[in-house]
Structures are given as structure tokens and as C-alpha cells.
Amino acid sequence: MRKSTPKPLVLMLFVVLVLSSCSIGSHLKKAVKVDDPFSAENERNFSGMVVTFFSLPEGESTLIRLPGGKKLLVDTGSAEDAEVLRSLLEERRVTKIDYVMLTNDQPAQAGGYAELAKTMQIDSVLLPKLTYATVLQTVPIQPDKKLVLLSAGDQYTLDESVVLTVLNPSEPLFLSPQDNSIVFSLRQDKLHYLFTSGVGEKAEERLLERYPQFLPAEVLKVAAQGSNQASTQPFLTKVDAQVAVIQTGKPFDQLKPGQAEIMERLGESWAETYVTSQRGTITVLSNGREYKVIEVEKKPKGG
């Protein structure tokens, strides 16, 4: 004769199963990602492209998470930024970077690479073909890293809907190393981003002459940390950006004459301008048709 299971035990098993089911359902709900940037609560539940302009004390660094999941880090900030950059990447659970692009050999863009490479898995390093030997003299890139040399006019499909077009440097080279920085357009379906690194007025004039069709962009990474040696009015007029991001750790609260001039130019171009020293890290979620800007509240010093 088979013994029957006591009723209290049956009830307890039923409760456990219901709770487990709710837990699994809740987990699946959290794991669902959305394609609409305006429906996304944050970058983690968004399935499109995520472009994060980091707020660093000294230099520039931007993380691009492609829709397929691969990651491109544009510049690594300065050596003094290494700890902050590491923390920002950890917050986003980044343990591997598929591509690191060093737009030039200057401290504000490439100074943090050595420290980053100690703690982060990096597959490929993207360098300007015309000046890569100079970069290698300054930046200790390990021999096991795959080097990808970029030339003006080259196009690379990074993801199914994302194409990178290199616009600078080109021959003849400029005397200023900043003007020989990598400038590139990033197109995601119908949306465009323009990254201008540290270039100045002369490089902008050449870009206007040689690649005017690639300059218009919804989102602009402003050149040279907001220096008045760049972002000329003809260049800004051609780009016609809706959003402009100035990556600088230097305070814009009390504008110096040159900084005020840049903000005025951007205002005349009708660009909504974000300065990272004021507003913290800026993230743009985009699906190739629409985009949303998210501000990460800037922590007070010592906070």
C-alpha cells in the first residue's frame, strides 16, 4: 500500500514552485532588451548602439557598444585618467574591448593606453596609417595585439548596420600632430556621428574640401576639448549637428574668452551642447532612426 504525501508538504511544494516560477519570470522580464531608445530604461536593456562619452579629469575616451555586442574604445584618456577610466568601464561590466582606436600619440588621447592594457583584454588596436610609427614610439603596444592601420577614405563595416569611414589624416601631413589625428564618420543606418579628436582649423579646412559629404552628423564629438583653435563656424555649419559633446575635465563654469567663443559658435549652429566637466558622462542610445541622450549625474569631488 502506497503512503500518501502529507497535505502540508504538498502545499509547501506548491508554494516553492509558484515562487520559483515568479522568480524565473521576473528574470526573463529583466533580460528583455528593447530597440526603441525612448523605451529603454538604461543602456543595459537597450539592443541598439550605445555611445558613451566619458567624463575624465584630463583627456578623452569614448566607448561605443555596437548592436551586435562588440566594443570600440576611441582613445584612452591621459595617464592620470587611468583609474577613473577603469572604474567607468567596470561600472559597465566591460572586461574585453574588441577594438581600441588611438586617434593620435598625444597624452590626452593615448596616455592611458599602457595602464588600460594591463587590466583589460584588447583584441585589436586601430592606428592612423600615415603616423602609426610615431604612435608606436610613444605608446607601448604589445606585439600580440593585432594592428589595424587606417587611411583616409577607408570604410569598415563594424556591424550589420554600422559603417566607419576614415576622413583624416591624409597626405600631405600637417606640421601639427593634432591635425594628423584620426577623424571619422560613424553611420548607423540613417544616423551619423562625427568624431574629430584633436584637430584644428587647418584640418577642418581640408575636411571641408575633401570630404564634405561625410561631415553632416546628428552627433558631433567637438574637436580639441573645446579649444577655440578648432570648431570654426564654416565647419560647424557644414556638420549641422543636433548634439555636440565637449569632453574636457577643465571647468566651463566660468567661461574663458576662447571657451565662450566656442559655446557661442555651437549655439549659432543650434546644437544642444554637453560639456562633460559640467554634466558628467554623456550616453547616446540610437537604433539608426532615433536617438536619446542620457546624462550621468556628475559626482562631486570626494564623493
Side-chain angles (χ1 to χ4, degrees):
M1 183 176 179
R2 190 171 60 184
K3 294 183 180 180
S4 60
T5 305
K7 289 184 178 180
L9 181 57
V10 172
L11 181 60
M12 185 172 67
L13 290 171
F14 175 76
V15 171
V16 170
L17 287 172
V18 169
L19 291 175
S20 298
S21 175
C22 290
S23 176
I24 293 171
S26 175
H27 173 73
L28 290 175
K29 186 177 180 181
K30 290 180 181 177
V32 172
K33 293 194 173 186
V34 297
D35 176 66
D36 178 7
F38 296 100
S39 299
E41 297 177 1
N42 51 54
E43 62 186 78
R44 291 181 182 174
N45 77 324
F46 182 61
S47 63
M49 187 164 73
V50 179
V51 181
T52 303
F53 300 91
F54 288 133
S55 176
L56 299 177
E58 299 289 339
E60 299 181 334
S61 184
T62 301
L63 179 66
I64 301 171
R65 191 194 78 192
L66 299 165
K70 288 188 175 183
K71 298 174 181 67
L72 164 63
L73 186 70
V74 182
D75 292 324
T76 59
S78 71
E80 292 76 11
D81 296 325
E83 184 61 27
V84 176
L85 180 59
R86 183 189 62 78
S87 177
L88 289 167
L89 291 171
E90 284 183 353
E91 287 176 13
R92 289 156 181 79
R93 302 177 184 178
V94 177
T95 57
K96 173 189 173 183
I97 302 175
D98 300 278
Y99 313 101
V100 170
M101 177 190 291
L102 299 179
T103 59
N104 59 43
D105 64 342
Q106 298 301 293
Q109 282 79 34
Y113 177 85
E115 286 300 316
L116 180 73
K118 292 179 183 178
T119 58
M120 191 69 58
Q121 180 183 341
I122 299 170
D123 285 354
S124 301
V125 180
L126 283 56
L127 302 173
K129 184 175 182 179
L130 293 177
T131 60
Y132 81 95
T134 303
V135 177
L136 293 179
Q137 290 176 0
T138 308
V139 184
I141 298 176
Q142 300 84 346
D144 64 320
K145 300 294 183 266
K146 179 182 178 182
L147 298 184
V148 180
L149 304 182
L150 308 179
S151 297
D154 289 348
Q155 287 193 328
Y156 298 87
T157 301
L158 299 178
D159 198 90
E160 185 176 349
S161 62
V162 181
V163 177
L164 184 153
T165 303
V166 184
L167 309 178
N168 196 64
S170 59
E171 294 182 315
L173 289 172
F174 294 102
L175 294 177
S176 165
Q178 288 89 340
D179 279 332
N180 294 319
S181 302
I182 294 176
V183 174
F184 68 95
S185 167
L186 196 67
R187 176 177 59 82
Q188 181 194 20
D189 199 2
K190 296 180 180 180
L191 292 179
H192 298 79
Y193 295 73
L194 185 65
F195 291 80
T196 54
S197 185
V199 298
E201 182 176 354
K202 290 183 178 180
E204 289 180 348
E205 289 175 355
R206 183 179 291 183
L207 289 166
L208 284 167
E209 178 186 343
R210 297 186 179 183
Y211 295 105
Q213 71 274 28
F214 289 104
L215 297 182
E218 284 73 23
V219 180
L220 168 68
K221 199 294 290 182
V222 176
Q225 297 184 290
S227 165
N228 66 346
Q229 302 304 308
S231 302
T232 58
Q233 199 61 59
F235 185 78
L236 293 178
T237 299
K238 186 63 180 179
V239 176
D240 193 23
Q242 298 171 8
V243 172
V245 180
I246 298 176
Q247 288 179 286
T248 178
K250 300 173 183 177
F252 265 58
D253 297 325
Q254 296 179 339
L255 295 178
K256 297 177 181 178
Q259 296 170 339
E261 184 181 344
I262 290 300
M263 296 297 285
E264 184 178 342
R265 290 181 202 168
L266 289 166
E268 291 175 356
S269 301
W270 298 97
E272 184 174 1
T273 303
Y274 297 83
V275 182
T276 57
S277 62
Q278 289 179 325
R279 304 175 76 165
T281 292
I282 302 299
T283 297
V284 182
L285 310 181
S286 61
N287 61 7
R289 302 174 301 280
E290 299 175 302
Y291 68 88
K292 179 173 74 172
V293 179
I294 299 175
E295 294 182 57
V296 177
E297 184 178 355
K298 189 169 178 62
K299 297 179 181 178
K301 290 183 179 180

